[in-house]
């Protein structure tokens, strides 16, 4: 996770984009990217969504990458670790929804 965060920071810094990366802007960008991911599945049947063509799967992978980049950047902007956040939330969910 730290390596990915460092790679993203390097990419952003080299382009002088950090000034655009307030948590608010990053949260909005994350939502846009999740919408782009959702758009791929719009109007697909259940079966089509489970068996995408190679081209569609490649597009899905790109959008998952965008989502991951913005999620990671948002967390980093608030000094949060997304993996720790996920584990903490999973523990809360285990208490809320016992097996
Ligand atoms: Mg995208």
């Amino acid at each position: 996770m730290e390596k990915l965060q460092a790679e993203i920071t390097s990419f952003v810094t080299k382009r002088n984009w950090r000034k655009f990366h307030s948590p608010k802007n990053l949260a909005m960008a994350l939502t846009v990217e999740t919408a782009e991911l959702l758009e791929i599945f719009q109007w697909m049947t259940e079966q089509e969504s489970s068996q995408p063509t190679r081209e569609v799967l490649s597009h899905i992978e790109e959008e998952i990458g965008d989502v991951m980049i913005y999620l990671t950047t948002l967390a980093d902007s608030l000094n949060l670790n997304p993996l720790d956040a996920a584990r903490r939330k999973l523990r809360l969910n285990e208490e809320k929804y016992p097996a």
Side-chain angles (χ1 to χ4, degrees), residues 33 36 63 66:
E33 294 302 339
E36 288 179 4
E63 297 306 338
D66 282 339

Side-chain angles (χ1 to χ4, degrees), residues 12-63:
V12 169
T13 302
K14 285 175 184 170
R15 287 154 184 82
N16 197 25
W17 287 351
R18 199 149 189 96
K19 60 192 170 200
F20 305 117
H21 286 185
S22 65
K24 175 190 73 72
N25 284 353
L26 291 167
M28 289 194 294
L30 174 61
T31 298
V32 169
E33 294 302 339
T34 56
E36 288 179 4
L37 177 61
L38 180 60
E39 187 179 28
I40 299 169
F41 293 102
Q42 189 179 24
W43 311 122
M44 279 186 186
T45 64
E46 299 293 329
Q47 174 128 4
E48 287 167 342
S49 72
S50 298
Q51 297 174 324
T53 64
R54 184 174 299 190
E55 183 181 69
V56 171
L57 187 60
S58 175
H59 191 186
I60 291 167
E61 185 179 36
E62 280 186 25
E63 297 306 338

Side-chain angles (χ1 to χ4, degrees), residues 82-99:
L83 295 181
D84 291 343
R87 290 188 188 105
R88 190 168 294 119
K89 183 61 180 178
L90 195 52
R91 283 196 296 274
L92 289 172
N93 287 345
E94 283 172 347
E95 290 173 18
K96 189 173 180 181
Y97 306 104

